[in-house]
Amino acid sequence: MSEVSSPRQRVCILGSTGSIGTSTLDVLARHPGRFEVFALSAHSRSDELLAQCLQWKPRFAVMTDATHAKRLRAALHGAGAATEVLEGAAALDEIAAHPEVDSVMAAIVGAAGLPSCLAAARAGKRLLLANKEALVVGGAFFMDAVRAGGATLLPVDSEHSAIFQCLPEDRSTWPARIDHLLLTASGGPFRTRDPATLRDVTPDQACAHPNWVMGRKISVDSATMMNKALEVIEARWLFDLAPQQIRVVLHPQSVIHSMVVLRDNSVLAQLGTPDMRVPIAYSLSFPERVESGASQLDFLKMSALSFEEADFVRYPGLKLAWDTLRGPEGSTAILNAANEIGVASFLAGTIRFDQIHSVNVSTLDAMTPERDACRSLDGLIALDAEARRVACAAVARMGA
């Protein structure tokens, strides 16, 4: 099939050197007549961003770290490249809301991605959301910005994309159709390991996901199932459902990416190989379909598909999704901040794997968010900062 003849879609990739960012560029490379790279960003990987800029020749490149921005600027100048280098967090907002940008791939990990997601939402962009923390932290405030700005919000997480693909384009029909959602989870690398031995897990073991290639933070989240807890929270806001309408089932093969159980008890499921280029390609081309580069499923070679209960003993962090959704507004933001500190501390060797959950629980127990904190970006940033301070104190006690 030939590429479309209409003007190319101008894409801004926030977090272009990460796994989602590089997969997005891989999809774009397959459709040069349909997409162009307008802006790229990274935090500190200046060498990787330099290579991307030389290949894609974006109008802008943003590095949030000033030292690395200076290095990138000099390297691009020496190469005779015309890409303009901007620096600092505010520059992320600038490129996300730039009037010439059509689509924004939001792939910055963690709460740090919330301000630029908000900027894109308020500017009415086609917002391809790989940063689940924007909804976990922002919640109703973020969704209000999407509606007010007239943005098109498209999920990139494989589970939420699967659900989105199973539903009609007319979102007003969803509440009458959906009984509940089933988010599938691989179970991570410790699905069959004795829970009593998890205290001995190393960072490298936690990052060795059996099915997906991901960054270290999200890999640890998959091992604890906190990633799935965050996805439950994300699904609540994306699909405007009550917490009890969102459930999790273990599916070790990662072939069924999630399911929708309808009012008549029909079940719709989206299947595919575990390759993030599929949901990325769908979000870029929606409502059309384009080549993703992923391999097709071969049903004759496929192993049996199995399903298991998500065990709260093995994965105690998973239960925190429903606890925080039913708790005071802002509880999910506290959980996210605490978990980011807990995972970073584990990866740094400061705490054990099993203590990540202890950091999360301790931080939630120590804080009661004020309602007004969730009514503005400044309030959410302050709540996030306080939760990180409390979580760091919990880490310090555990390491003492």
Side-chain angles (χ1 to χ4, degrees):
M1 181 181 295
S2 61
E3 294 287 354
V4 294
S5 58
S6 56
R8 293 192 298 171
Q9 186 182 141
R10 293 178 293 270
V11 182
C12 166
I13 305 177
L14 304 174
S16 64
T17 60
S19 60
I20 294 294
T22 55
S23 292
T24 301
L25 289 170
D26 182 87
V27 173
L28 297 182
R30 299 170 190 278
H31 307 280
R34 187 173 187 128
F35 305 104
E36 69 173 281
V37 176
F38 184 84
L40 300 172
S41 87
H43 175 59
S44 60
R45 295 179 180 175
S46 56
D47 291 341
E48 290 94 327
L49 190 55
L50 171 63
Q52 291 178 347
C53 288
L54 293 176
Q55 177 181 355
W56 292 95
K57 301 175 175 58
R59 177 92 61 87
F60 297 104
V62 172
M63 299 217 70
T64 51
D65 182 274
T67 300
H68 287 89
K70 182 178 180 180
R71 182 183 304 166
L72 177 64
R73 190 176 293 115
L76 285 171
H77 178 74
T83 298
E84 181 179 352
V85 178
L86 308 176
E87 62 186 68
L92 295 175
D93 302 355
E94 181 179 342
I95 60 170
H98 196 285
E100 294 185 47
V101 165
D102 300 307
S103 297
V104 176
M105 172 58 76
I108 295 174
V109 176
L114 174 59
S116 52
C117 284
L118 275 170
R122 288 167 172 164
K125 301 302 182 184
R126 182 188 183 101
L127 180 52
L128 318 179
L129 191 66
N131 173 269
K132 63 177 65 65
E133 290 84 359
L135 279 167
V136 173
V137 176
F141 175 72
F142 179 75
M143 291 305 297
D144 286 345
V146 169
R147 285 186 287 269
T152 301
L153 185 61
L154 298 168
V156 175
D157 270 348
S158 60
E159 296 81 0
H160 303 88
S161 177
I163 292 165
F164 186 73
Q165 292 180 56
C166 289
L167 294 171
E169 289 182 33
D170 184 356
R171 302 182 187 216
S172 67
T173 68
W174 293 358
R177 292 173 179 266
I178 300 172
D179 183 80
H180 66 275
L181 308 180
L182 280 171
L183 299 181
T184 56
S186 69
F190 309 133
R191 181 178 59 85
T192 60
R193 180 166 172 157
D194 181 356
T197 69
L198 293 178
R199 61 180 289 122
D200 302 320
V201 163
T202 68
D204 284 344
Q205 290 173 329
C207 291
H209 196 280
N211 299 336
W212 298 93
V213 177
M214 304 180 292
R216 287 175 72 80
K217 194 272 181 183
I218 196 172
S219 294
V220 174
D221 281 347
S222 181
T224 63
M225 284 276 274
M226 183 52 62
N227 191 45
K228 202 58 52 178
L230 299 180
E231 288 172 7
V232 169
I233 298 167
E234 182 183 8
R236 179 265 175 272
W237 293 110
L238 274 174
F239 303 106
D240 195 21
L241 297 173
Q244 63 268 24
Q245 289 181 278
I246 306 164
R247 305 174 191 176
V248 172
V249 62
L250 297 189
H251 171 49
Q253 295 79 23
S254 295
V255 171
I256 296 176
H257 295 141
S258 275
M259 294 171 274
V260 180
V261 181
L262 302 176
R263 298 282 186 179
D264 61 1
N265 287 331
S266 295
V267 181
L268 303 180
Q270 187 264 340
L271 287 70
T273 53
D275 190 322
M276 285 304 299
R277 291 177 295 178
V278 173
I280 289 169
Y282 187 63
S283 67
L284 284 164
S285 62
F286 175 81
E288 301 175 37
R289 299 270 182 172
V290 297
E291 180 193 354
S292 67
S295 59
Q296 290 186 354
L297 279 179
D298 186 337
F299 285 89
L300 299 180
K301 295 181 180 178
M302 190 186 305
S303 61
L305 304 183
S306 61
F307 304 91
E308 303 166 12
E309 182 181 2
D311 180 2
F312 288 163
V313 174
R314 184 181 303 277
Y315 308 111
L318 181 58
K319 183 175 179 292
L320 296 179
W322 293 276
D323 291 346
T324 53
L325 280 172
R326 295 186 178 108
E329 188 175 7
S331 297
T332 58
I334 294 172
L335 173 61
N336 179 75
N339 184 64
E340 288 190 24
I341 294 298
V343 171
S345 300
F346 165 67
L347 288 173
T350 307
I351 62 172
R352 300 190 311 268
F353 177 81
D354 61 310
Q355 289 178 314
I356 297 173
H357 177 64
S358 300
V359 171
N360 295 340
V361 171
S362 177
T363 306
L364 286 166
D365 288 345
M367 296 183 64
T368 302
E370 295 183 7
R371 186 174 180 83
D372 289 346
C374 303
R375 295 292 185 262
S376 69
L377 178 57
D378 287 344
L380 286 168
I381 290 173
L383 178 62
D384 177 81
E386 176 63 11
R388 290 170 190 273
R389 185 193 66 78
V390 174
C392 285
V395 168
R397 290 193 299 272
M398 292 172 192

